[in-house]
Amino acid sequence: MSRIVLVTGANGEIGHSLLEAFASSGDRDVISVDLRPLGDAQRGYVKWSFEGDISDPKLIEQLESFDIAEIYHLAALLSTSAEKNPELAHRVNVNGTMGLLSMARRIGQRTGSAVKFLFPSTIAVYGMPSLEVKTSAGAVAEDVYLDATTMYGINKLYCERLGVYMSERYGQLTDDAGEKTVDFRALRFPGLISAFTVPSGGTSDYAPEMIHAAAQGKPYACFVRPDARIPFMAMPDGVTALLNLAAAPRESLTRRVYNIGAFAPTAEEIAMKVKSAFPAAEITYAPHPKRQAIIDSWCADVDDSAARRDWGWKPTFDMDTAFDTYLIPNIAGVYAG
Ligand code: AKB
């Protein structure tokens, strides 16, 4: 019998790629949840689809009747959207996650098997105190500089901790303590770049926006300085990382939250790469002070040695191969049609 998996935020960038990956492996029955209905292509990939707000208890009640084995909780307001509406972000990002974790726990109690809870966290959990410290720190490990400055980063950091609590310490002074009903596993994603979709609401969006604008022959004014540096990753590697972390044997995992990295260019290095693929690209810089401050607060790079050691994480794409073999060949096709 196929495993039942739940994907929230199924209509987002990661969601579309994940649904496609599940469809090609064919070993899972997928339940999707999103605010908006799935497109025709994605509808074919799922067995059940729900439209609604993940923080709505009535939706949770409906989902709870399924014997779900794995949850990929992708629904969230990203960093820029969350700064524009912090209360909504807190409700969706935090209450939505808590509702799903509690649901996972009840399903685990009912079925007698721990529900795997895959959670995309983010480099926004870091808060580098200054540009000097950011530069000198370089690639940072999981447990340092956790001084998130954005609503989104704070929400994600708290939810990482909620997930660990629900998995390891739930009700530590009650009889429930020590139950194994939730198996929470989180990845801290860098900025993701897809050849097929353009993100919205994030602060790392300047990289994909720059590439997609050039592919369409449109000028692009980058909203951060040329020297702004954060880690990025090609979308297929992000999806592979989620699937590989989900598949890793529990005993090999020494942590519940892992950094994953691939390449960490400055905005100017990205622009140079874009210009070598699209020589007519017009890229200028118009730093937005608040979005720049968010990028300055995120780390320059991540130390992902724990993920490499524990579950064999290794990105397929570095910066050159991401552009030369994934982004540029595919993006040209997206806009040619
Ligand atoms: C964002 O920019 O908010 C996200 C992220 C880095 O988590 N892409």
Side-chain angles (χ1 to χ4, degrees):
M1 210 179 77
S2 295
R3 265 170 298 166
I4 299 181
V5 307
L6 169 66
V7 179
T8 74
N11 243 337
E13 275 204 298
I14 309 179
H16 280 193
S17 303
L18 192 62
L19 294 187
E20 230 176 280
F22 287 151
S24 54
S25 69
D27 58 352
R28 291 162 169 101
D29 286 337
V30 180
I31 309 171
S32 68
V33 174
D34 203 283
L35 282 173
R36 294 166 297 133
L38 291 180
D40 289 343
Q42 287 76 35
R43 187 71 194 80
Y45 298 150
V46 308
K47 190 153 179 180
W48 304 276
S49 85
F50 290 84
E51 278 147 48
D53 173 349
I54 202 59
S55 62
D56 177 0
K58 289 201 198 73
L59 176 60
I60 298 287
E61 218 176 285
Q62 286 177 285
L63 298 172
E64 196 168 328
S65 61
F66 294 90
D67 287 346
I68 296 169
E70 291 173 9
I71 297 175
Y72 294 79
H73 175 34
L74 312 177
L77 266 79
L78 298 183
S79 51
T80 292
S81 301
E83 286 317 304
K84 291 183 181 159
N85 201 338
E87 286 185 20
L88 175 67
H90 189 276
R91 180 166 67 72
V92 173
N93 295 353
V94 175
N95 299 4
T97 304
M98 183 60 193
L100 280 172
L101 282 166
S102 302
M103 180 192 84
R105 175 174 174 256
R106 293 189 295 271
I107 294 174
Q109 285 175 321
R110 184 178 75 224
T111 61
S113 308
V115 176
K116 280 187 191 163
F117 196 109
L118 276 296
F119 184 69
S121 189
T122 167
I123 51 167
V125 298
Y126 292 108
M128 306 308 292
S130 66
L131 270 180
E132 293 68 41
V133 175
K134 170 170 171 156
T135 306
S136 65
V140 300
E142 281 87 350
D143 299 324
V144 292
Y145 300 114
L146 295 177
D147 290 314
T149 60
T150 59
M151 178 51 97
Y152 170 69
I154 293 167
N155 294 165
K156 288 284 185 177
L157 184 56
Y158 174 63
C159 287
E160 286 180 359
R161 294 193 172 166
L162 267 184
V164 174
Y165 172 80
M166 294 293 283
S167 299
E168 291 175 3
R169 286 184 285 280
Y170 184 87
Q172 46 201 322
L173 300 183
T174 72
D175 291 345
D176 303 322
E179 64 173 31
K180 297 274 174 270
T181 48
V182 180
D183 180 0
F184 179 84
R185 303 172 179 204
L187 283 176
R188 290 204 186 132
F189 278 119
L192 291 171
I193 312 178
S194 165
F196 302 100
T197 49
V198 191
S200 65
T203 316
S204 61
D205 293 2
Y206 59 90
E209 283 175 1
M210 196 185 281
I211 303 163
H212 284 260
Q216 296 170 83
K218 294 183 181 164
Y220 184 69
C222 180
F223 59 78
V224 293
R225 293 184 314 265
D227 68 316
R229 187 191 295 279
I230 58 165
F232 282 98
M233 179 177 293
M235 181 62 81
D237 273 335
V239 172
T240 305
L242 267 177
L243 297 175
N244 289 353
L245 178 59
R250 177 73 252 156
E251 12 0 305
S252 66
L253 303 182
T254 58
R255 346 177 19 96
R256 290 195 178 271
V257 178
Y258 287 94
N259 281 346
I260 46 166
F263 44 93
T266 61
E268 190 171 27
E269 284 161 356
I270 299 169
M272 276 158 50
K273 213 55 198 141
V274 171
K275 281 188 189 154
S276 74
F278 302 102
E282 271 178 62
I283 300 168
T284 52
Y285 295 90
H288 180 288
K290 292 186 176 157
R291 295 183 99 184
Q292 178 70 63
I294 292 174
I295 292 296
D296 287 344
S297 78
W298 294 355
C299 55
D301 199 358
V302 286
D303 173 351
D304 60 3
S305 49
R308 288 175 186 259
R309 179 196 64 220
D310 289 1
W311 48 278
W313 161 247
K314 190 172 187 301
T316 310
F317 299 104
D318 60 18
M319 170 110 159
D320 286 338
T321 55
F323 272 81
D324 301 344
T325 68
Y326 166 65
L327 290 168
I328 302 306
N330 287 309
I331 248 173
V334 170
Y335 297 108

